[in-house]
């Protein structure tokens, strides 16, 4: 079923300016201008981020929408897909962000704009726990692109967390999936955007 509405969720300290987000945006806007595309700048609070996202996508048709999430955005995408019963593409998704992000409590800067700072609060860890998907059963098809070369997250945890997903295991690559352009055709095929 073709995707008519596409949501992209970036990772921790990232932004809509990430290489993957810009690559997806360019393809959708040039090849499928009729597709509703949204890649918001997410606030540091997980609760606020998901409230903002759900306020916007509440009227999107679950059967025709999809969400793509990278790293922490993959964790968020899992939650959105559960609520919207939609397809999800998970790019090196964070599986236990409440554990991996604990070390980042305090002032942080954005990768794409180092002059932009934000404060990652201790209470955000509990907000992440509260967003844990109620069920590990996928409500709709999932595609996981997991890099063995991810220097921040363990691809084996991703495989274990998403057993029902179609898996694309990258032998090398990195956390950012710097070679994303070579994998975008697989993502677009999964989204029926070919």
């Amino acid at each position: 079923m073709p995707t008519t509405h596409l949501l992209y969720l970036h990772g921790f300290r990232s932004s809509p300016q990430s290489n993957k987000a810009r690559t997806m945006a360019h393809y959708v806007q040039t090849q499928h201008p009729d597709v509703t595309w949204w890649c918001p700048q997410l606030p540091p609070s997980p609760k606020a981020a998901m409230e903002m996202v759900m306020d916007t996508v509440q009227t999107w048709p679950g059967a025709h929408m999809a969400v793509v999430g990278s790293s922490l955005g993959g964790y968020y995408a899992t939650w959105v897909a559960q609520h919207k019963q939609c397809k999800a593409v998970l790019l090196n998704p964070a599986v236990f962000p409440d554990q991996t992000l604990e070390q980042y409590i305090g002032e942080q800067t954005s990768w794409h704009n180092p002059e932009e700072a934000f404060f990652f609060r201790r209470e955000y860890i509990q907000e992440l726990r509260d967003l844990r998907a109620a069920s590990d059963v996928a409500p709709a098809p999932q595609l996981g692109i997991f890099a063995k070369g991810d220097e921040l997250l363990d691809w084996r945890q991703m495989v274990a967390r998403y057993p029902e997903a179609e898996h694309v295991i990258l032998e090398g690559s990195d956390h950012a999936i710097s070679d994303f352009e070579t994998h975008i055709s697989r993502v677009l095929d999964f989204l029926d955007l070919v």
Side-chain angles (χ1 to χ4, degrees):
M1 196 173 290
T3 299
T4 61
H5 294 69
L6 185 56
L7 170 66
Y8 186 99
L9 301 175
H10 65 74
F12 183 69
R13 294 181 59 202
S14 192
S15 76
Q17 295 307 309
S18 76
N19 178 56
K20 294 185 297 295
R22 286 185 292 112
T23 299
M24 286 292 303
H26 175 76
Y27 184 87
V28 171
Q29 292 163 354
T30 59
Q31 303 298 317
H32 296 279
D34 52 323
V35 169
T36 299
W37 163 263
W38 189 42
C39 178
Q41 177 65 58
L42 299 172
S45 161
K47 182 176 185 284
M50 291 303 91
E51 286 174 352
M52 178 185 80
V53 166
M54 293 306 284
D55 280 349
T56 298
V57 305
Q58 65 180 334
T59 60
W60 287 17
H64 292 280
M65 79 169 271
V67 57
V68 178
S70 172
S71 192
L72 178 58
Y75 184 79
Y76 290 158
T78 304
W79 187 86
V80 171
Q82 287 278 341
H83 285 77
K84 291 296 292 183
Q85 306 274 300
C86 68
K87 285 183 174 180
V89 177
L90 309 158
L91 308 171
N92 282 340
V95 175
F96 302 110
D98 57 318
Q99 296 169 21
T100 55
L101 293 181
E102 210 159 11
Q103 63 184 312
Y104 295 101
I105 292 170
E107 188 168 307
Q108 301 296 326
T109 56
S110 168
W111 285 115
H112 305 105
N113 184 3
E115 295 173 7
E116 187 177 292
F118 66 92
F119 201 85
F120 190 71
R121 302 182 183 283
R122 182 166 300 283
E123 57 263 32
Y124 295 165
I125 299 299
Q126 185 58 49
E127 290 182 11
L128 287 168
R129 291 183 183 127
D130 293 344
L131 291 173
R132 176 88 180 154
S135 169
D136 283 345
V137 177
Q142 297 175 328
L143 172 66
I145 298 183
F146 310 146
K148 288 186 177 181
D150 188 324
E151 67 279 13
L152 299 177
L153 302 173
D154 188 337
W155 67 276
R156 290 164 293 212
Q157 290 180 342
M158 301 172 201
V159 170
R161 169 62 183 88
Y162 299 99
E164 298 178 4
E166 295 177 40
H167 296 160
V168 175
I169 309 295
L170 308 180
E171 285 302 319
S173 196
D174 53 20
H175 182 66
I177 311 180
S178 299
D179 56 345
F180 182 66
E181 287 190 31
T182 65
H183 308 291
I184 193 169
S185 62
R186 181 69 191 86
V187 173
L188 298 168
D189 181 55
F190 176 79
L191 298 173
D192 289 326
L193 290 177
V194 290

